[in-house]
Amino acid sequence: MRALVQMIASEGAVSSCLHDSKKIIAPSATYPFLLAKIAEKSSLLIVTSSSRSAEDLASELRELHNHVLEFPAWETLPHERLSPRSDTVARRLATLADLAKVASENTIVVAPIRAVIHRFIADLASQPLQSLEIGSEVDLTTLITNLTELAYIRTDLVEKRGEFAVRGGIVDLFLPLSEYPVRIDFFGDEIEEMSYFDVATQRTTTPVIGSLSILPCRELLLTEDIRQRAESAKAKYPAALEILDRVAQGISTEGMESLIPILVEQTQTILQRMPQGTEVIFIDDERIRMRTIDLLATNEEFFEAAWSHAALGAVAPLPVTDATYLSWDVLNEEMVRCGLKPRAFNPFGTDLDTEATFLDFSAIDPLRGDADRAVAAMQEAVSQGFSIIFSTAGQGMAERYAGIFRDADLPVFIAPELKAIPTKATIHITQSSIAHGFSSLESRILFMTERDLTGSKASAKDGVRMPSKRKQAVDPLELRA
C-alpha cells in the first residue's frame, strides 16, 4: 500500500497542505497515508482520543512506515490501588527504550491522550535491558536476582506473564510481551538452548530465534532508594501504611503504583522523550480536548467517592489527583517548552476556521454487502481513467472478488502487495489490513476495502493481539449516568 502514499502526496495541494497546514480536514480513512508521508520528513507523536483507536491506527501505519511504536495508557486511575497489566507496562517501556536509541529513520509513536498527559518516573527505561541469547554466558544467580528486581514473580510452575521458575540449570520465563513462555537450558553459565513451551502441557514447541530482551513487569521498581522513601513516608501517610510497609520490605504489591507521586521526586511525559523536531498530531483535536477534561473530571469524581467510602470505614485514598495527569492548558505549555509543533487532523471543519485546510477526499459510502453497487462504482471509475485499488484481508477473498469483477467485464490485476503505482483504468486487488478506503476526484483515485463493501471486520489480523487479563475490567471513561 506504500505506492498509494506517493500517489496521494503527488498532488500539489496535498503536498503543500502537509508541509505547513495547522489543521487538515479530511476523512479518517486518509490519515494513515497522510501521516506516513509526513513521517518521511520528521518524527511524529500521534495522539488519539481512545486506546482502541490508537491500536487500530498503529496497525494500519505499520503497513506504510517501518518504525511505528505504541505507547499505551494504564488501565487504572492514579489513586486506584490497582496495578496496570504487565504487558501494558512492558509495551510502554519498550517504546521508551526504543526512543532512547538513535534511529535510522523517523519514528512514529501512537498514543491515546490518556497516556500523553500521564506523568511517569523520570528515569524509566534509562538502563540498558538484559538480553538472553544462545551461546551467551549469564550467571544463573545474577539472572534470578535481576528477574526479581524487575518485578517478576518466582513460582513452581510458570502459567502467567511476569512469572519465572528455576529447576536446576533450567529457567522457565514468561516475558510480558511474549505469546508463549520460554525455557532456557544452561550448561554451567552458558545458555545452551532456548525454546518456547506450551503452558497447558509444559512441553517445548519451537526454538527461539535470535535474542530476547528482559523488560520489567512494573514501572515502580523497588530499589534501595524507593524502599527507604517508603519507610520514611509511613508516618506521614497512615492511609497507605499497609502498602508502604510491604514496599519498604521490598515486596511488590498490587496497587503500589499509586504511591509514585509520594516515592518519586522527578517525573516526565512522553513529550520529553520524543526526538528533536517531532510533530505532535492530534486526531480530532476537539474530541481529544473534551476527552482530557472528562478524564480529569472522572479522576476527581472517583477520588471524592473514595473519600466518601473512607468516611464509612473504607481505606482512605492518597492525595495524588493533581500529581499524575496534565491539564489541557498545561499540556500545550509543555509542547511549547519541548519545542514540539502541534497540528490536527479532523474529519469535519468549518469555513470560518482560518487555520483549516480542506482536502479533496471523500469517504466510501457504506455498501452493506451490495456487490452490484460496488461493481457500478468500479465501472464508473474505469470509464473515467481512475487508479483503482481494492483491498482484502487474504488471498482467498482476493480471488473471490477478482471473479466478481471479471464477471462484470472489468479489467483486474491481483497483486499481494501494492509496491508500484497502479495502472489507470484497471482494478488492482491487493491484501491489506487497512479498514476503510476513500476516493479523490482531483487525484483520480478510488480505494475501496472489503470492509467498505461488507461492513464487517476482516478476519485476518496483522499480528497477534495480546489477551486481556481483566476481561471484566471497567473503563471509568465509558461509564454513563
Side-chain angles (χ1 to χ4, degrees):
M1 300 302 292
R2 300 195 179 195
L4 194 50
V5 175
Q6 306 307 322
M7 292 170 61
I8 290 176
S10 63
E11 195 69 31
V14 175
S15 179
S16 174
C17 173
L18 295 181
H19 183 262
D20 54 19
S21 180
K22 290 186 177 180
K23 186 177 294 185
I24 296 175
I25 312 299
S28 58
T30 63
Y31 295 169
F33 302 94
L34 300 175
L35 293 168
K37 186 60 183 178
I38 297 175
E40 293 178 3
K41 296 184 178 179
S42 65
S43 294
L44 302 180
L45 172 60
I46 303 171
V47 186
T48 66
S49 59
S50 68
S51 295
R52 177 56 60 87
S53 58
E55 292 174 6
D56 293 342
L57 182 57
S59 176
E60 295 182 349
L61 280 169
R62 287 191 179 99
E63 286 196 31
L64 308 174
H65 192 78
N66 293 330
H67 198 205
V68 179
L69 307 174
E70 290 182 64
F71 189 70
W74 285 6
E75 307 86 8
T76 60
L77 292 172
H79 64 273
E80 286 185 303
R81 299 194 179 186
L82 295 172
S83 296
R85 291 185 345 218
S86 61
D87 57 300
T88 299
V89 170
R91 179 69 65 194
R92 287 163 58 89
L93 295 176
T95 295
L96 294 176
D98 206 313
L99 288 173
K101 302 175 184 176
V102 178
S104 58
E105 62 180 318
N106 293 326
T107 302
I108 296 179
V109 177
V110 186
I113 184 60
R114 190 170 178 173
V116 175
I117 64 174
H118 187 177
R119 296 183 180 98
F120 52 78
I121 302 172
D123 62 355
L124 208 60
S126 60
Q127 300 298 322
L129 301 175
Q130 182 179 8
S131 296
L132 303 176
E133 190 173 10
I134 294 176
S136 61
E137 292 193 359
V138 179
D139 180 67
L140 185 57
T141 304
T142 303
L143 175 61
I144 294 171
T145 302
N146 188 37
L147 290 173
T148 304
E149 291 176 348
L150 295 181
Y152 285 81
I153 301 173
R154 185 167 181 171
T155 63
D156 295 328
L157 192 68
V158 170
E159 296 178 315
K160 300 177 181 178
R161 289 178 176 83
E163 294 181 345
F164 76 99
V166 182
R167 296 185 302 278
I170 298 176
V171 177
D172 288 348
L173 175 62
F174 207 155
L175 297 170
L177 296 181
S178 178
E179 187 178 358
Y180 298 102
V182 62
R183 180 160 292 151
I184 308 164
D185 288 340
F186 283 84
F187 182 75
D189 288 340
E190 181 180 345
I191 297 178
E192 188 176 40
E193 185 180 356
M194 292 198 305
S195 301
Y196 294 108
F197 67 90
D198 184 78
V199 170
T201 65
Q202 294 288 307
R203 293 183 177 179
T204 57
T205 53
T206 57
V208 175
I209 307 295
S211 63
L212 296 174
S213 295
I214 303 178
L215 289 161
C217 292
R218 293 181 182 270
E219 294 186 19
L220 180 62
L221 300 179
L222 303 185
T223 62
E224 187 61 34
D225 180 59
I226 293 296
R227 293 169 62 179
Q228 291 178 1
R229 288 176 182 271
E231 183 66 36
S232 302
K234 287 182 183 180
K236 187 175 181 181
Y237 300 100
L241 183 59
E242 182 180 352
I243 299 180
L244 285 170
D245 187 56
R246 292 175 64 86
V247 170
Q249 295 178 45
I251 303 173
S252 295
T253 184
E254 179 74 8
M256 68 180 190
E257 287 78 8
S258 62
L259 302 177
I260 287 178
I262 295 173
L263 302 178
V264 176
E265 289 185 351
Q266 296 183 341
T267 59
Q268 290 183 341
T269 64
I270 186 64
L271 300 175
Q272 294 165 271
R273 296 293 187 97
M274 295 303 299
Q276 191 71 25
T278 294
E279 292 191 29
V280 182
I281 298 182
F282 294 94
I283 305 300
D284 198 342
D285 58 345
E286 184 58 26
R287 179 184 293 234
I288 290 174
R289 187 182 72 84
M290 294 305 300
R291 187 77 169 178
T292 304
I293 294 172
D294 290 345
L295 175 58
L296 295 175
T298 302
N299 188 35
E300 184 65 28
E301 289 172 6
F302 272 68
F303 183 71
E304 291 175 357
W307 272 112
S308 297
H309 283 281
L312 300 175
V315 178
L318 297 175
V320 296
T321 52
D322 298 327
T324 304
Y325 288 144
L326 304 179
S327 67
W328 181 254
D329 292 337
V330 175
L331 175 64
N332 282 277
E333 293 172 2
E334 187 73 10
M335 284 189 290
V336 173
R337 193 178 68 82
C338 295
L340 305 180
K341 176 184 176 184
R343 304 173 71 179
F345 279 20
N346 293 346
F348 306 104
T350 172
D351 294 336
L352 300 178
D353 189 346
T354 56
E355 294 184 340
T357 302
F358 292 78
L359 295 182
D360 176 48
F361 292 104
S362 302
I364 301 296
D365 292 331
L367 299 175
R368 297 181 175 85
D370 191 341
D372 292 337
R373 284 179 59 195
V375 168
M378 297 292 182
Q379 288 173 333
E380 183 179 357
V382 168
S383 66
Q384 296 183 13
F386 274 48
S387 297
I388 309 166
I389 301 106
F390 186 88
S391 71
T392 66
Q395 180 64 26
M397 295 306 296
E399 296 286 351
R400 178 184 174 185
Y401 284 111
I404 293 175
F405 297 144
R406 286 184 180 125
D407 289 343
D409 295 326
L410 290 169
V412 174
F413 177 77
I414 299 179
E417 296 182 22
L418 192 68
K419 295 182 177 180
I421 294 177
T423 306
K424 293 184 180 298
T426 299
I427 301 174
H428 288 69
I429 300 181
T430 188
Q431 297 173 41
S432 170
S433 64
I434 293 177
H436 296 290
F438 57 88
S439 63
S440 172
L441 188 59
E442 287 187 9
S443 302
R444 308 195 72 75
I445 295 173
L446 173 62
F447 169 43
M448 185 182 295
T449 69
E450 180 183 353
R451 187 170 177 183
D452 289 327
L453 175 53
T454 64
S456 60
K457 291 185 178 181
S459 58
K461 283 290 184 182
D462 181 20
V464 179
R465 188 181 294 274
M466 298 291 289
S468 173
K469 289 184 179 178
R470 296 194 184 115
K471 296 183 181 298
Q472 304 301 323
V474 176
D475 185 349
L477 294 184
E478 301 300 330
L479 298 176
R480 294 291 182 268

